[in-house]
Amino acid sequence: MSEHHGRVLLLDGAVSTELERAGVKLDPILWGAHLLLLNTEPISKVHLSYLPSLEGFKAYKKEITEEEVGQLLRKSVKLAKEAIEQVNKEGSQKQRYVAASVSSYGASITYLAGSAKEYSGDYFDDSSYLQPLLKENKTVEDLVFESHLNRVKYLLMENPDFLLFETIPALKEVQIICEQVLPVVEVKQTKILFSFSCKDEGHIGHGETIEECCRYINKLGDKVFGLGVNCVMPSQIPPLIEKIHNHLDPTKTIIVYPNSGESYEAKDNSWHSPQEQCSFEHQFVPFIVEWIKQHPNRNIIVGGCCRTNPLEISKLSKSLSNK
């Protein structure tokens, strides 16, 4: 969900992190999306405190059908809308929006790959671990197309304000979405956003430069609302946002939402805290508030990704209000 601050939209923070803090055991395939099958109340509570993929669901619950997955995806948008309605009934006057999140294909194949491929996009280079899915002469490109189409068509049925393709590691994946998926669905008034994962301060996960990504999006005109990065370290935001600002069409919106600054150790599922000055609160918040002041003509969406929490997003909101 996002909240309006003039030319700045405030995005929420991590959902699965808050579910885990509330005592929910995350699923290794679906993170917190398995609650759409079991109990949606914790999801609604997280939405309120801030103010999933087809392959993943099938791996979690083998007998589930595509239609059932579609209904769960639609439910995810409905829950966010219901949370907004509840806050509005309580007297809030702020304008709020729903951004339906669509993860990269890599995030849906962790159970096959054994690692988080949304940060590398190497499934376009080495598809050996995808052999169980590559049937009937299908290519990796076919799998990426089908995965996004199967989610997008259902999410759009609920008319979210934004369709946010996030943690995308490869430009080729964006090209498949823009050139093959979006032309065959009914987008209506939903605004399209792309957010990339990055390997360093100038390249996205698969290796393409952020400038290349901007140039491609610019060619699409008003079909795409904006571009940015997510799930990067707060320290990577300053050089990345400058590159995006300098190369992205000035009429388009930039979206940035880094993680908490903590590093993840997959071996024991643990997080390690950064030095205080490198954290979301102490590095990203003051930086982005000042950056917004210095770029009065650029529309921007800001928020948090992994391990950020409602308190940090609240502080960001207050800092934006006081700028």
Side-chain angles (χ1 to χ4, degrees):
M1 291 185 295
S2 55
E3 184 175 280
H4 202 269
H5 284 256
R7 67 184 176 86
V8 180
L9 280 181
L10 179 67
L11 199 65
D12 62 7
V15 174
S16 291
T17 298
E18 287 308 295
L19 290 172
E20 194 170 35
R21 285 192 178 118
V24 173
K25 183 174 176 57
L26 299 182
D27 181 78
I29 297 171
L30 292 172
W31 291 83
H34 66 297
L35 293 177
L36 293 170
L37 282 165
L38 306 175
N39 176 19
T40 60
E41 184 179 358
I43 298 176
S44 296
K45 287 182 177 179
V46 170
H47 283 322
L48 288 170
S49 70
Y50 278 112
L51 126 170
S53 76
L54 180 58
E55 289 83 0
F57 274 114
K58 284 185 175 178
Y60 177 81
K61 185 173 181 285
K62 297 291 187 180
E63 68 274 16
I64 197 167
T65 66
E66 180 185 323
E67 179 63 28
E68 289 173 319
V69 171
Q71 295 308 311
L72 294 173
L73 292 170
R74 295 182 69 175
K75 184 189 293 186
S76 70
V77 178
K78 291 176 182 177
L79 290 172
K81 288 186 174 183
E82 288 170 2
I84 290 175
E85 290 176 3
Q86 182 174 333
V87 172
N88 289 344
K89 287 179 181 178
E90 294 170 358
S92 174
Q93 299 301 311
K94 290 184 178 179
Q95 191 170 6
R96 294 180 171 87
Y97 305 92
V98 173
S101 168
V102 185
S103 63
S104 75
Y105 179 67
S108 71
I109 55 175
T110 300
Y111 71 103
L112 283 174
S115 60
K117 295 301 182 180
E118 64 265 42
Y119 299 106
S120 69
D122 65 4
Y123 37 91
F124 287 115
D125 308 314
D126 175 16
S127 60
S128 57
Y129 53 84
L130 293 176
Q131 288 308 309
L133 303 177
L134 292 172
K135 301 174 181 178
E136 300 175 356
N137 296 319
K138 283 187 177 181
T139 64
V140 173
E141 287 77 8
D142 292 332
L143 296 178
V144 173
F145 166 75
E146 292 171 358
S147 172
H148 283 294
L149 178 62
N150 288 334
R151 291 175 288 168
V152 166
K153 67 182 181 182
Y154 286 108
L155 290 169
L156 286 175
M157 289 178 184
E158 295 302 322
N159 299 312
D161 301 293
F162 297 94
L163 198 57
L164 172 55
F165 295 91
E166 62 176 355
T167 328
I168 304 294
L171 181 56
K172 180 181 283 190
E173 188 154 351
V174 173
Q175 293 169 334
I176 291 172
I177 293 167
C178 292
E179 298 170 21
Q180 299 181 45
V181 176
L182 295 180
V184 298
V185 295
E186 192 173 0
V187 177
K188 296 181 181 177
Q189 301 302 311
T190 299
K191 294 177 173 63
I192 306 299
L193 289 161
F194 287 100
S195 184
F196 293 94
S197 61
C198 294
K199 63 191 300 183
D200 56 35
E201 297 173 349
H203 300 81
I204 64 173
H206 189 253
E208 296 84 2
T209 66
I210 199 69
E211 292 91 341
E212 288 178 78
C213 299
C214 290
R215 287 194 291 270
Y216 177 75
I217 294 300
N218 289 341
K219 292 178 182 179
L220 299 175
D222 59 6
K223 293 180 181 178
V224 175
F225 186 72
L227 171 151
V229 296
N230 74 287
C231 214
V232 299
M233 300 294 279
S235 60
Q236 293 178 298
I237 291 294
L240 282 168
I241 196 173
E242 280 303 316
K243 289 181 174 70
I244 295 171
H245 176 65
N246 291 334
H247 292 86
L248 186 65
D249 187 304
T251 64
K252 295 191 182 298
T253 295
I254 293 176
I255 179 168
V256 289
Y257 52 117
N259 57 35
S260 66
E262 296 170 87
S263 58
Y264 178 67
E265 178 53 64
K267 292 180 180 178
D268 58 2
N269 194 33
S270 63
W271 292 88
H272 303 278
S273 298
Q275 295 180 344
E276 184 176 279
Q277 67 270 24
C278 299
S279 68
F280 181 92
E281 179 181 352
H282 294 93
Q283 183 173 40
F284 175 69
V285 172
F287 166 78
I288 202 63
V289 170
E290 183 60 29
W291 193 92
I292 289 169
K293 287 182 183 178
Q294 295 176 5
H295 299 80
N297 297 317
R298 174 65 81 173
N299 292 328
I300 187 167
I301 300 174
V302 296
C305 200
C306 293
R307 301 286 288 182
T308 57
N309 58 59
L311 179 59
E312 290 170 326
I313 299 302
S314 177
K315 290 179 179 178
L316 174 59
S317 178
K318 290 176 182 176
S319 298
L320 292 170
S321 298
N322 294 333
K323 65 177 173 52

